[in-house]
């Protein structure tokens, strides 16, 4: 009788262990989210993602649009910034996020070279190389203006109009 009771208790313990959920969900999420920057708008200029490889000139007022996807759910999209005279990135501002699309409107307080990092996170804080995108911006509202632009050849003193 004692053995039957022990078997029943062992069976119930195994049944409980097999059906308990330890907070990991039905599967463990190990996949990092992926962010893309699709478009930048500044003034009447629109730049698409194929041009983001080099530095981009923009005004102090600029908007970015993109997507962020994950196998589970994207928690947030935000930006970090580093100006050329700074050594580290620091938190800048959050993006508006809806479904898989995000947008951010920025009004820079100064001009200069800025490195803008777009970051996405999921609920499990997974992170991968495709979870960030860095873009170099040349922020300039006061570009030089000239009435006559020319190339001056010092050797022969001839000026060539542009």
């Amino acid at each position: 009788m004692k053995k039957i009771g022990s078997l029943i208790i062992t069976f119930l313990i195994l049944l409980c262990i097999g059906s308990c959920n330890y907070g990991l969900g039905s599967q463990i999420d190990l996949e990092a989210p992926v962010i893309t920057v699709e478009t930048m708008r500044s003034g009447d200029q629109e730049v698409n993602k194929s041009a983001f490889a080099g530095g981009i000139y923009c005004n102090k007022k600029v908007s970015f649009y993109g997507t962020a996807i994950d196998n589970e759910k994207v928690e947030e999209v935000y930006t970090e910034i580093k100006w050329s005279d700074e050594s580290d990135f620091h938190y800048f501002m959050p993006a508006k996020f809806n479904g898989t699309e995000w947008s951010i409107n920025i009004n820079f307080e100064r001009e200069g070279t800025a490195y803008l990092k777009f970051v996405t996170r999921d609920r499990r804080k997974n992170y991968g190389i495709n979870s960030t995108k860095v873009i170099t911006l040349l922020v300039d509202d006061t570009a030089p203006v000239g009435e006559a632009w020319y190339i001056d050849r010092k050797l022969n003193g001839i000026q060539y109009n542009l």
Side-chain angles (χ1 to χ4, degrees):
M1 188 69 139
K2 202 173 191 183
K3 285 187 178 190
I4 293 175
S6 296
L7 286 173
I8 291 174
I9 291 173
T10 304
F11 175 75
L12 290 174
I13 290 172
L14 290 174
L15 181 64
C16 180
I17 289 174
S19 64
C20 290
N21 187 349
Y22 290 99
L24 296 176
S26 59
Q27 66 186 43
I28 298 173
D29 179 15
L30 299 176
E31 289 187 41
V34 175
I35 192 167
T36 59
V37 182
E38 300 290 334
T39 307
M40 180 207 78
R41 290 190 187 116
S42 180
D44 57 357
Q45 174 189 19
E46 183 171 309
V47 177
N48 293 319
K49 68 179 175 182
S50 60
F52 290 150
I56 302 169
Y57 282 93
C58 68
N59 296 333
K60 286 183 180 179
K61 288 182 107 173
V62 64
S63 299
F64 287 93
Y65 305 89
T67 60
I69 57 170
D70 186 53
N71 64 321
E72 294 278 326
K73 182 180 181 210
V74 171
E75 182 81 9
E76 70 175 327
V77 175
Y78 62 94
T79 57
E80 294 180 354
I81 191 167
K82 179 178 87 160
W83 291 93
S84 60
D85 59 354
E86 298 174 340
S87 59
D88 294 320
F89 280 94
H90 59 274
Y91 182 84
F92 187 51
M93 62 189 309
K96 294 175 187 167
F97 186 67
N98 184 15
T100 61
E101 297 182 1
W102 61 266
S103 65
I104 190 165
N105 298 315
I106 300 170
N107 191 4
F108 291 109
E109 293 182 7
R110 69 184 222 191
E111 296 180 343
T113 303
Y115 305 97
L116 199 59
K117 183 191 294 185
F118 299 91
V119 183
T120 184
R121 292 184 328 145
D122 67 5
R123 287 186 271 189
R124 305 282 184 213
K125 311 290 188 256
N126 291 325
Y127 181 82
I129 192 165
N130 293 324
S131 300
T132 64
K133 174 74 175 164
V134 177
I135 294 176
T136 304
L137 297 174
L138 306 164
V139 181
D140 189 2
D141 266 356
T142 55
V145 177
E147 294 180 15
W149 295 93
Y150 58 87
I151 298 172
D152 190 1
R153 299 284 183 176
K154 295 279 184 187
L155 187 61
N156 56 15
I158 299 173
Q159 294 178 344
Y160 298 94
N161 291 331
L162 291 179

